Amino acid sequence: MNINGNNTESFTIENKNLKNIPIENPLHKDAFAFDDEVKIQLIRQKFEEILHIIGLDLKDDSIKETPHRIAKMYINEVFSGLNPKNRPEITLFKNTYEYNSPLLELNIPFTSFCEHHFVPIVGLANIAYIPNEYVIGLSKLHRLTNYYAKRPQVQERLTKQIHQDLKNLLKTENVGVVLKATHGCISCRGVEDSGSSTISSAISGKIKDDVVTNSKLFGL
Ligand SMILES: [Zn+2]
């Protein structure tokens, strides 16, 4: 479906949405006191120490830039979703065509990081909603999923954050979010069970009793 079709009106939603979410990641009050560049330098120094303690020779050509690479990756990529300034701009459109069936966006890929072990959680998100007054650009469902994924996370919280934010944005209870993911902390340490996956869901409103939509959502 082309969301841009006949709509001339659009609305930009700001960060205020986050304030309504009681399921935020635990951050200390000075979380963003330093600029990103300062954070990268500080993390680089700490990682040099960690690699040295592990026993690696930081003069080695292949390794010497690793602390800087990790620092940049943390701040600019894999944990960039912690900083509200990186929240994607979400544009909504008036539902002028009065579309009122479930709309599903399936197999949205995401990579997050387990906050207990700092190893990847790799998965797919399925999202459904029934529009009220507004519809959302489909790519924004991808961007919003990845904004919340780019944090140290537990899958349950990630699921609820996406669900809650969409309910707030779209001003409807009719939202379903299902995530299926594999956790590095299961596959590469501990029980070392590769091939298992974890499914989490947050489903509300009319989507809850919609058997067809639920079967699609859980058909990951
Ligand atoms: Zn873990």
Side-chain angles (χ1 to χ4, degrees), residues 114 116-117 185:
C114 155
H116 300 141
H117 301 93
C185 53

Side-chain angles (χ1 to χ4, degrees), residues 163-178:
H163 179 252
Q164 182 70 55
D165 205 348
L166 284 172
K167 284 200 308 177
N168 290 349
L169 276 167
L170 294 160
K171 295 186 174 38
T172 176
E173 282 295 311
N174 305 325
V175 176
V177 176
V178 177

Side-chain angles (χ1 to χ4, degrees), residues 129 165 188 209:
Y129 78 100
D165 205 348
C188 71
D209 303 318

Side-chain angles (χ1 to χ4, degrees), residues 1 4 10 15 40 65 91 101 129 141 144 146 154 170 179 188 211 220:
M1 183 175 79
N4 296 320
S10 71
N15 272 347
I40 287 170
E65 281 303 314
T91 307
S101 299
Y129 78 100
L141 297 174
L144 205 65
N146 277 284
V154 293
L170 294 160
L179 306 187
C188 71
V211 176
L220 279 157

Side-chain angles (χ1 to χ4, degrees), residues 27 31 43 47 55 74 81 91 97 132 138 149 216:
L27 295 175
I43 295 169
F47 257 98
Y74 273 15
T91 307
Y97 26 73
N132 221 342
L138 295 179
K216 296 276 185 199

Side-chain angles (χ1 to χ4, degrees), residues 114-119 121 153 183-186 189:
C114 155
E115 71 183 14
H116 300 141
H117 301 93
F118 270 44
V119 291
I121 301 170
Q153 281 286 19
H183 290 239
C185 53
I186 298 292
R189 56 157 297 287

Side-chain angles (χ1 to χ4, degrees), residues 127-146:
I127 295 175
Y129 78 100
I130 301 171
N132 221 342
E133 204 179 334
Y134 301 109
V135 294
I136 186 170
L138 295 179
S139 68
K140 303 304 182 193
L141 297 174
H142 292 243
R143 291 192 195 284
L144 205 65
T145 299
N146 277 284

